[in-house]
Every structure is written in C-alpha cells, then in structure tokens.
Amino acid sequence: MKTFRICTFACLLLAALWAAVAMTGCATKPAAVSPGDPLPSWNDGAAKQAIVQFVEKTTKEGSPEFVAPAERIAVFDNDGTLWAEQPMYFQALFMLDRIRAMAPEHPEWKAKEPFASLLKGDMKGVLAGGERAVGELMMTTHAGVTSEEFSKIVSDWVATAKHPTTGRLYTEMVYQPMLELLAYLRANGYKTFIVSGGGIEFMRPWAEQVYGIPPEQVIGSTIKTKYELRDGVPTLIRLPEVNFIDDGPGKPVGVQTHIGRRPVAAFGNSDGDLEMLQWTAAGAGPRLCLYVHHTDSDREWAYDRESGIGRLNKGLDEAAAKGWTVVDMKADWNRVFAFETQ
Amino acid sequence: MKTFRICTFACLLLAALWAAVAMTGCATKPAAVSPGDPLPSWNDGAAKQAIVQFVEKTTKEGSPEFVAPAERIAVFDNDGTLWAEQPMYFQALFMLDRIRAMAPEHPEWKAKEPFASLLKGDMKGVLAGGERAVGELMMTTHAGVTSEEFSKIVSDWVATAKHPTTGRLYTEMVYQPMLELLAYLRANGYKTFIVSGGGIEFMRPWAEQVYGIPPEQVIGSTIKTKYELRDGVPTLIRLPEVNFIDDGPGKPVGVQTHIGRRPVAAFGNSDGDLEMLQWTAAGAGPRLCLYVHHTDSDREWAYDRESGIGRLNKGLDEAAAKGWTVVDMKADWNRVFAFETQ
C-alpha cells in the first residue's frame, strides 16, 4: 500500500515516544524596535537585511532588479517554517487525537492492530506494524468523509486541541517573525503561498485566519477525491488513496501545477524544501532563498543535521555554498511565539 | 494506454475531417449601448439581467445575499465558453500543427503510424489507429520537453497560427461578451478562474494577456511532471503520462484541489461542465450557474444536443429544470468576436 508520507510518519511517531523536550516560557530580551519597522520581531542582522534589501530592490520602479507585481510569488513551507513541528508534525498529532475520538464508534479496534496498540498508548506496538500500519491510521483518519466534513473535523480540532508540551493551541505555535514577514511581503505586492508536505485540506481550514493565506494559495499533499451525487446531492468524497506527495522533488512540481510560475522568494527549514529553493534560485533575476535554522532550545527546539523531523543537512551545505540566507532563530528572532512574555 | 481526452479527440479529429462550417463576417445590428454599461456586447434580456442582479445583490453591503469578498469565486470553462471550439478544440489543432512542425526532425515518421497518415493529411488513417494512435500524437506533442520549453512552443504557436476557417489568430476567437463579463466580475471583487478540460500548460502562456487570468488561476488537465537536476540545472520535465483529467466529474475535483472553496458562480457550455455547475449550485446562498448555448450559425456555430464537441444535452435539461441561466448567443449577444464589423 502506498501511504502518505509513511517513512516520515514512522520517524515522527518514534520521536513522539522518546521525545522529552523541555520548553521554557522565557524569551530573550527583545531588541529595540524602530517605529514603523515592519519586522519588529527580527533583530538587526544579515537575515533581516537580506529580506529588506530584497523587497526594496524588487519593488522599486526603475530598479534594475524590479519585479513586476504579477511575478511577485513567494512560497513558504509550513511545518517548521511557519509553525513548529516538534515533537512531531502537528498533523500526526491530529491523526492520533482523531483515532482516539473515533474509537467509541469502533469497538472492534480494541482487538485490531494498529488501533489496539495506539489506544493503549503503546506506540512501539503501532510501529511494529510498519508502514502499512501507519498508512492505515492515516487513511482511517483522513479519508472516507466528504471534503466539507473533513474541513469541519480539522476546524474543531484546531479550535480545541493543545500541544503536548506547551499546552498551547496549535495555531498559537506559529512563528511571530514569519507572520510579520508574510504581512511585509504582501504589503509589497507579493502573493504568498504555502507549499507544504502536509495535507492540503488539513491546512486550508485555518490558514486564512492564522496566516492570511486563502485556500487557493495553499498547496500540499493530496489524497484522491471523487465527485458523486449522493441522494441527488453533489458530494466530494475523500478516498483512501494517495494522489500527490508535495515534498522534496514534489515541491517544485506542486508549485508548477498550482501556480504555473517560478517563485522569486522561497522559505523553508528542511531538506524537504531543498528542491523548492533550488527551483526558485535557478530563475533569472533577483531571488531570495531562506532557511529557518532551528537553533533555540530554550524558546523552541534546536535541531538540524540529525535524521528525524525537519532534518536540515544537505540544505545547510547548499545554503552556504550558494549564499542563501540562513536565519539563526536564537540570534535573529527576538520573539519566536506571540505568547512569549516580553 | 490511458490517453489524454482520447475519446473526445477521436471525435474531434473526425469532426475536422468532415466539418464544413461556413463562417460569415457579418454581425447582427448591435443594441443601443447605455453609457457606463459594463456589458455592452450583451443585449438586454433575461441572461444579462440575471448576471447584473446576481452581482449587485452579492456585493451590496447589508444585502441578505451579500457574499464576502474572499468567497467571490467564479469559475469558467474555456473551450466553447471563453473561446470557440469548432471545428475542433484548438488544442487539437495545435497538436496537428506541432506534428507537422516536428516532422523534419523525424524522418522515421514517414513510415510510422499514426504520423505517416497525419502527414499525408489522411485523418481516416490516423483514426484507424484508435485511441492509442491519438494518445501517441498527444504525448509526442505535449511531453518530452521541459515546462519552460513547452510554454515557449505554445506561445509561439498562439502568436502565429491561424484558425482554419476564419483565418484569425486563435486568441482573436475569444468571445467579447465573456471578456466583458470577466472584467465586470473582477471589478466587483470576484476572483475569476478557468476550469477547463484542456491542458493547464496549454492555456497559461496566453490566458493572462487574453483573459486577465493569471497562471495560478488556471485549472486544467495535467500530465505528470518530474523535477530533476540536468547538468546541475533544476528542471521540470513533462512526462508522457496522464496525471489528471479536469473534465466532467473531474471539474469539481479540480476546483477543490486548486481553489479549496466552492464557487458561487460557474460558467460553461457543455455536458462536460455539468458537474461543475451542479457543485456550484449546491452551495448555500446565492449562486449563478450559466450555460452559453451555441445558437448562432452565422457569426459562430450552432450545436447542442448532437454528439460531438461541446455537446450540451443533459445540461440543457438540467438548466431548464433548475432555472439556471442559458445564454442564447444569437439573441443575447450583439457581438460575438471583437473583430466583427459593427
């Protein structure tokens, strides 16, 4: 069975078992904020300068690097770039919560793997079933309902579910500096898109409210969907079959399919974003390719080259070789989350 | 072999062989145009009234049928709705022209079907090869190049190729009333999308200039695309394999995948648009579902219930049953093409 980001999910479920990441509520002292600064959560430094210089030169009429408004396409990875992704992708946490929520209607799961192990909290037992087991959990929780039903399920979860270590709503765990960056780009005529390995229909129900990005600018992985009349009512049914994986080399393909132009700015945090940054960088004219580097174990998490969620290994080397911007979260951001005490 | 709209292409290639449609350059007398009328090519009548009333009630603050700007999604079929589609889909004419243009580099085609028959103008011989032959022509002309190369091929063709009966550029064969409708909707905060059975990359190179619709708002059929580094250069290669057919029941699926919201207005001309209109109509609140009915054999073509390109049979019945707007091209449009003498 082809499954939905199976390998990654196996990793992240393992990570969930053994992760013991401490979060502290304290923030480093914010830098002095200039009045009218569109990026107040960004400390002055190379990263902030690179962003501001790029925006200024590409939007100044008559500049040799001016980019026509229609071409101002900026693409953002989501997990680890716009919101956190530890101790596992939030969509995986949704999946686990959803299995628990569905369990009362499925008494048979008590004797059926991988559900039985999951409901007992035995993640090792779940993982013993391999990719097939994780794929079954994924499809059980993401397919078999209409698109509208799934949207409501996600909306209800996002409105109430809490992150396992911070106790915050997931939509509070978005990066304040990146929200400022999205708004700054849009204020300068850039059209902002999400290009994520996560499920397209998992992000759309809340992306507009949280990021200001409408559903038609959200690109992600998809399962197959079928149109049918159910008792005469037009319906879109989500089928338990992978359609497209918008990750790694899939990202430039997703960008081409949905946008049809090469972005001029791309933002990611992992090797899964590398091809999207390569594709962006290879266009003619000014480009901004930026990696968010998770370096802050106090306010967030610190991770990069080790295998696991959000691995940034090849990407760090390529960024160094090509002069892409690398954001040091600890040094470059005076605030990570909006909920931090200042 | 799964092919790209094979059945339809077989029909239209047949149609090309035997079609003998006369076009006249004369237009009916235009109606008096009111100053400031956003739809001057539309005669006063039920269709124009339905459009104007829909736009006015959905954009008037405080109206019980007000539609928030973010929800103002309007979807348009292309072939037969925004531009003509006779004597065959223009993309099929592109395919035939392309085979002829590629022939000098392929001397082996002189002895290889379906190319040999096509190059001799023997369409009956081409069709003798069935769906497989048509699929081979399609993939030969649409795959095996990069996305950028294909875009240039299409742009060059559109800039020079002439329609077989009118002698006009294909981009001149767009419907003036529909251009006015697109502009009118956009002026009222509607976001306009193309949702076509035609190839997404066949439409994007010219849709922005001709319709004012940017590539990211063009939805269509796709073949698979692969990202790879060619001599270190990031490249998207078009593969000879169907990915998605955006026609019939595929249209609501394409809408959901690309837009992620249900449209409030949908425009089509054939049974291939029926499911898109059904999906649009089934939403809560005000809706505008409109069929362009080809009734003008003088200025354009007259066709509906007979099998063939742009067949409108079930759709006519459903439009009547549900009270959808049906545009009678002959009666409702005082001008079909911009090039008509007035």
Side-chain angles (χ1 to χ4, degrees):
Chain A
M1 182 187 179
K2 281 197 182 177
T3 49
F4 192 82
R5 301 171 81 204
I6 289 309
C7 302
T8 328
F9 271 112
C11 290
L12 60 86
L13 285 171
L14 270 168
L17 260 181
W18 289 290
V21 180
M23 288 282 290
T24 70
C26 57
T28 55
K29 197 169 182 295
V33 174
S34 314
D37 181 354
L39 302 171
S41 299
W42 293 73
N43 292 324
D44 285 332
K48 183 172 182 172
Q49 279 169 25
I51 292 167
V52 172
Q53 284 168 9
F54 172 81
V55 170
E56 289 182 350
K57 74 184 176 187
T58 57
T59 56
K60 189 179 171 190
E61 295 263 9
S63 154
E65 297 192 289
F66 179 75
V67 174
E71 299 289 337
R72 293 182 198 160
I73 303 289
V75 290
F76 289 79
D77 169 57
N78 184 43
D79 299 308
T81 299
L82 294 180
W83 74 354
E85 60 183 353
Q86 300 289 354
M88 63 173 101
Y89 295 131
F90 295 173
Q91 191 172 356
L93 292 163
F94 162 77
M95 180 183 88
L96 300 180
D97 284 351
R98 182 89 193 114
I99 290 286
R100 290 183 205 108
M102 293 169 78
E105 289 167 33
H106 294 273
E108 76 280 9
W109 284 356
K110 284 180 186 157
K112 189 183 173 194
E113 291 299 349
F115 305 97
S117 291
L118 192 155
L119 293 171
K120 283 184 285 186
D122 172 14
M123 297 307 289
K124 208 170 167 182
V126 171
L127 294 173
E131 292 188 1
R132 212 181 66 81
V134 180
E136 191 171 355
L137 293 175
M138 197 68 196
M139 290 307 175
T140 300
T141 52
H142 285 70
V145 292
T146 69
S147 290
E148 289 182 330
E149 286 164 349
F150 187 70
S151 176
K152 180 163 189 330
I153 289 165
V154 172
S155 296
D156 290 347
W157 181 80
V158 152
T160 56
K162 300 287 174 64
H163 186 274
T165 65
T166 66
R168 297 284 175 170
L169 292 174
Y170 290 101
T171 50
E172 289 181 282
M173 294 193 63
V174 300
Y175 303 131
Q176 179 61 26
M178 298 305 284
L179 294 180
E180 293 166 8
L181 176 55
L182 285 166
Y184 176 53
L185 287 168
R186 287 194 293 260
N188 283 281
Y190 278 86
K191 206 164 180 176
T192 53
F193 289 81
I194 292 173
V195 181
S196 169
I200 199 167
E201 302 292 16
F202 176 73
M203 297 179 283
R204 282 171 164 168
W206 48 269
E208 189 158 29
Q209 195 185 340
V210 174
Y211 299 138
I213 297 179
E216 61 269 27
Q217 288 161 227
V218 175
I219 303 167
S221 296
T222 53
I223 58 176
K224 288 200 186 291
T225 305
K226 187 186 168 196
Y227 176 83
E228 63 180 46
L229 294 176
R230 283 196 166 178
D231 298 327
V233 178
T235 309
L236 289 171
I237 310 291
R238 292 169 59 80
L239 305 178
E241 189 183 345
V242 170
N243 181 56
F244 177 65
I245 302 291
D246 189 54
D247 200 25
K251 287 204 174 192
V253 174
V255 164
Q256 181 64 19
T257 305
H258 284 258
I259 308 178
R261 324 190 206 241
R262 195 192 297 253
V264 290
F267 305 87
N269 78 299
S270 79
D271 286 352
D273 304 312
L274 180 57
E275 289 86 350
M276 178 169 79
L277 270 62
Q278 288 173 337
W279 175 244
T280 300
R287 303 284 144 171
L288 177 61
C289 290
L290 182 151
Y291 263 129
V292 172
H293 188 191
H294 292 264
T295 53
D296 194 327
S297 61
D298 290 331
R299 296 180 299 173
E300 211 245 359
W301 287 268
Y303 56 100
D304 48 28
R305 294 186 185 270
E306 296 295 307
S307 69
I309 296 167
R311 182 186 202 183
L312 180 62
N313 183 38
K314 285 194 290 183
L316 268 186
D317 295 335
E318 193 148 336
K322 295 190 172 170
W324 296 344
T325 299
V326 178
V327 172
D328 179 337
M329 283 177 76
K330 190 167 185 169
D332 285 321
W333 290 358
N334 60 61
R335 175 182 278 207
V336 175
F337 300 114
F339 60 72
E340 286 166 9
T341 40
Q342 293 268 349
Chain B
M1 181 189 178
K2 280 194 181 179
T3 48
F4 193 80
R5 301 172 81 204
I6 291 309
C7 302
T8 328
F9 271 110
C11 290
L12 59 87
L13 286 171
L14 271 167
L17 261 180
W18 289 288
V21 180
M23 289 279 292
T24 72
C26 57
T28 55
K29 197 170 181 298
V33 174
S34 314
D37 182 354
L39 302 171
S41 298
W42 292 74
N43 291 323
D44 285 332
K48 183 172 183 171
Q49 279 169 24
I51 292 167
V52 172
Q53 284 169 7
F54 172 81
V55 169
E56 289 182 350
K57 73 184 177 188
T58 57
T59 55
K60 189 180 170 188
E61 294 263 8
S63 153
E65 296 191 293
F66 179 75
V67 173
E71 298 289 337
R72 292 182 199 160
I73 304 290
V75 290
F76 289 79
D77 170 56
N78 184 42
D79 298 308
T81 300
L82 293 180
W83 74 354
E85 60 183 353
Q86 300 290 353
M88 63 173 100
Y89 295 130
F90 295 173
Q91 190 171 356
L93 292 162
F94 162 77
M95 179 183 87
L96 300 180
D97 284 352
R98 182 92 193 111
I99 290 285
R100 289 183 206 107
M102 292 169 79
E105 289 167 34
H106 294 273
E108 76 279 10
W109 284 356
K110 284 179 186 156
K112 189 183 173 193
E113 292 298 350
F115 305 96
S117 292
L118 192 154
L119 294 171
K120 284 183 284 188
D122 173 13
M123 296 307 288
K124 207 170 168 180
V126 172
L127 294 173
E131 291 187 2
R132 210 180 68 81
V134 181
E136 191 171 356
L137 293 175
M138 196 70 196
M139 289 308 173
T140 300
T141 51
H142 285 70
V145 292
T146 70
S147 290
E148 288 182 331
E149 286 163 351
F150 187 72
S151 176
K152 179 160 189 334
I153 290 165
V154 172
S155 296
D156 290 348
W157 180 80
V158 153
T160 56
K162 300 288 173 63
H163 186 272
T165 64
T166 66
R168 297 283 176 171
L169 292 175
Y170 291 101
T171 50
E172 290 181 283
M173 294 195 62
V174 300
Y175 303 130
Q176 178 62 26
M178 298 305 283
L179 295 181
E180 294 166 8
L181 176 55
L182 285 167
Y184 175 52
L185 287 169
R186 286 195 292 261
N188 282 280
Y190 277 86
K191 206 164 181 176
T192 53
F193 289 81
I194 292 173
V195 181
S196 169
I200 198 167
E201 302 293 13
F202 176 74
M203 297 180 283
R204 282 172 165 167
W206 49 269
E208 188 156 32
Q209 194 186 343
V210 174
Y211 299 138
I213 296 180
E216 62 267 28
Q217 287 161 227
V218 175
I219 303 166
S221 296
T222 54
I223 58 177
K224 288 199 187 292
T225 305
K226 187 186 168 194
Y227 174 84
E228 63 181 44
L229 295 177
R230 284 195 167 179
D231 298 326
V233 178
T235 309
L236 289 171
I237 311 290
R238 292 169 58 81
L239 305 178
E241 189 183 344
V242 170
N243 181 55
F244 176 67
I245 303 291
D246 190 55
D247 199 27
K251 289 205 175 193
V253 173
V255 165
Q256 181 65 20
T257 305
H258 284 258
I259 308 178
R261 325 190 206 240
R262 195 193 297 254
V264 290
F267 305 87
N269 78 299
S270 80
D271 286 352
D273 304 313
L274 180 57
E275 288 86 350
M276 179 169 78
L277 270 64
Q278 288 174 337
W279 175 243
T280 299
R287 304 283 144 172
L288 178 62
C289 289
L290 183 151
Y291 262 127
V292 172
H293 189 191
H294 292 264
T295 52
D296 194 326
S297 60
D298 290 332
R299 296 180 299 172
E300 211 246 359
W301 288 268
Y303 56 98
D304 48 27
R305 293 185 185 271
E306 296 295 307
S307 68
I309 295 167
R311 182 185 203 184
L312 179 62
N313 185 38
K314 285 194 291 183
L316 268 186
D317 295 335
E318 192 147 337
K322 295 189 172 172
W324 296 343
T325 298
V326 178
V327 171
D328 179 337
M329 282 177 78
K330 189 167 187 169
D332 285 320
W333 290 358
N334 60 62
R335 173 183 279 210
V336 174
F337 300 114
F339 59 74
E340 288 165 10
T341 40
Q342 293 268 351

